[in-house]
Amino acid sequence: MSASIDSLFRPFTLNGLVLPNRVAMAPMTRWKSPGGVPPPDVAAYYRRRAEHGCGLIITEGTTVDHPVSSHSTRTPNFFGSEALQGWGRVVDAVHEAGGRIFPQLWHVGAARYPSQDYPNRELPSASPSGLYAPDKPPGGVPMAKAEIRAIVHAFAKAAADARELGFDGIEIHGAHGYLIDQFFWPALNRRTDEYGGDLAGRTRFAVEIVEAIRREVGPDFPLVFRVSQWKQQDYDAKLAHSPEELGAFLNLLADAGVDAFHCSQRRHWEAEFDGSPLNLAGWAKKLTGKPSITVGSVGLKKELVGGSLENLARAAEVATLDGVLERLERDEFDLVAVGRGMLADPQWARKVREGRFEDLRPFGAEALETLT
């Protein structure tokens, strides 16, 4: 490891919240909450990462209070007394271990797959134009403006509940082809009203969510927004083809009240645009002046393509952190989110800090089966 590990373990302050280091746990769906209620072992799961030195935990996606927000009965809700009590246990456990934690607030939109067991199957999925993918028949119904307003309110209520429960901030899931991202993506958003058309129109839904959250939680509660160019429906999709387009897009969200951008790439080491080595997180910070989080196969040699055990085993080999550390030392971005590495090994942050790279547990089939 030629680059200094010290850069990863410097403190960082995000909208008044002091983080002990630059290591974040990326949100990763686990389907471990039957009936949408996180049981006690979910609190223990997150506590383990906090007590081993992860600076910021971002929970798995948690669905807001809307009838078709979820794609599994085992995905945790962020509404209802039982689910919120469960999340209260999570917050307490993480804080007792000295950690900081944000929930990721989520609506899946038209990404409700017929093969999955999800709530309210009799209801059509919600999406900007009824589409899940550009080349497939409608998988939902275009959202009426009343439903848009209801979902905006649901995100704001969830954020208020998060603050009431003692969470340290929130993340909004605006990436990967789920509902908010479906509005961003012109291939799926074919609306002709104020929520479609040009960039400002396609971003209006997200802007209204951010503004509504800010009204509920005030100016001093950290708000992170997750973005991606790629979509689960199309790995090659692009919302922005140039820095100018990316800046115009992200600054609409920054002006609405976003404190930091969590920039999802499948491979964090790849340059986002020709002519510059900056990745997506590097460009987000440069263009908006806001802090950014990089994520995407950190500490691994290959990105994950598909969830089969064979693919997991092929993508499990641990890699050097040199590239990400060198960029962090240059302050191209501010935090580094670790997904599969942290999922497989609760002690990831501690082992890295102590230089015990040979002891890191790879993310293979065994890790997928246990998810401890």
Side-chain angles (χ1 to χ4, degrees):
M1 194 69 62
S2 60
S4 174
I5 290 295
D6 292 343
S7 63
L8 197 57
F9 292 94
R10 297 173 291 160
F12 182 72
T13 300
L14 176 62
N15 192 2
L17 176 68
V18 178
L19 303 176
N21 59 55
R22 309 301 182 96
V23 180
M25 180 179 182
M28 291 168 287
T29 297
R30 299 171 66 236
W31 296 300
K32 296 285 187 176
S33 297
V37 177
D41 62 356
V42 172
Y45 164 80
Y46 287 115
R47 180 190 179 107
R48 279 191 288 276
R49 277 74 186 169
E51 64 191 7
H52 288 292
C54 179
L56 173 63
I57 291 169
I58 305 172
T59 74
E60 61 208 283
T62 69
T63 52
V64 299
D65 189 6
H66 185 254
V68 293
S69 62
S70 181
H71 63 10
S72 172
T73 57
R74 294 174 293 145
T75 296
N77 298 329
F78 210 84
F79 60 90
S81 59
E82 282 191 87
L84 293 178
Q85 287 172 13
W87 284 116
R89 290 192 296 266
V90 172
V91 172
D92 291 345
V94 168
H95 285 170
E96 287 169 3
R100 284 79 166 160
I101 183 167
F102 293 5
Q104 187 190 67
L105 305 180
W106 187 29
H107 192 304
V108 303
R112 297 199 304 162
Y113 316 117
S115 60
Q116 291 180 314
D117 179 23
Y118 51 79
N120 301 313
R121 295 181 67 88
E122 73 282 4
L123 298 177
S125 298
S127 74
S129 303
L131 300 172
Y132 167 67
D135 57 348
K136 292 184 178 180
V141 296
M143 291 162 56
K145 292 179 183 178
E147 190 169 23
I148 289 175
R149 290 192 294 271
I151 294 174
V152 169
H153 174 75
F155 272 95
K157 178 63 166 59
D161 287 338
R163 182 157 199 169
E164 181 69 22
L165 288 170
F167 278 92
D168 300 291
I170 61 164
E171 175 169 292
I172 300 171
H173 197 342
H176 304 165
Y178 294 112
L179 181 63
I180 294 174
D181 200 21
Q182 289 165 18
F183 271 83
F184 293 150
W185 192 15
L188 299 189
N189 185 346
R190 303 178 186 178
R191 300 176 72 99
T192 57
D193 63 6
E194 64 267 36
Y195 294 97
D198 62 10
L199 177 65
R202 298 194 312 273
T203 310
R204 180 184 296 272
F205 177 51
V207 165
E208 290 183 359
I209 288 172
V210 173
E211 291 175 341
I213 287 173
R214 275 286 170 231
R215 288 192 293 270
E216 288 290 332
V217 302
D220 60 344
F221 194 61
L223 193 165
V224 174
F225 198 100
R226 199 175 209 204
V227 295
S228 70
Q229 294 265 46
W230 69 273
K231 320 298 171 197
Q232 59 186 310
Q233 302 94 320
D234 181 358
Y235 286 157
D236 296 323
K238 293 275 189 182
L239 295 178
H241 296 271
S242 69
E244 293 75 19
E245 289 182 352
L246 184 65
F249 165 54
L250 295 181
N251 276 300
L252 290 169
L253 298 166
D255 292 345
V258 169
D259 290 310
F261 290 98
H262 188 174
C263 301
S264 177
Q265 291 181 265
R266 294 172 63 215
R267 298 169 287 264
H268 72 85
W269 55 84
E270 291 187 342
E272 187 58 43
F273 301 113
D274 292 340
S276 169
L278 291 177
N279 70 0
L280 184 60
W283 276 111
K285 181 175 181 177
K286 179 175 181 173
L287 293 167
T288 67
K290 298 286 187 178
S292 67
I293 307 171
T294 196
V295 69
S297 304
V298 172
L300 297 171
K301 288 190 174 180
K302 297 179 180 179
E303 82 279 9
L304 175 62
V305 180
S308 71
L309 298 184
E310 293 79 10
N311 284 338
L312 287 168
R314 282 195 292 269
E317 191 174 350
V318 175
T320 177
L321 295 175
D322 273 345
V324 73
L325 293 175
E326 290 165 0
R327 291 171 183 249
L328 188 62
E329 285 179 342
R330 295 195 295 267
D331 289 322
E332 291 183 13
F333 39 73
D334 301 283
L335 299 175
V336 177
V338 182
R340 285 171 283 151
M342 190 80 69
L343 189 66
D345 195 336
Q347 300 184 44
W348 191 95
R350 183 182 300 278
K351 289 177 180 178
V352 167
R353 186 165 197 168
E354 295 174 356
R356 296 162 52 204
F357 297 96
E358 70 281 359
D359 294 336
L360 289 172
R361 183 184 180 193
F363 184 62
E366 182 183 358
L368 179 68
E369 291 167 352
T370 57
L371 296 183
T372 58

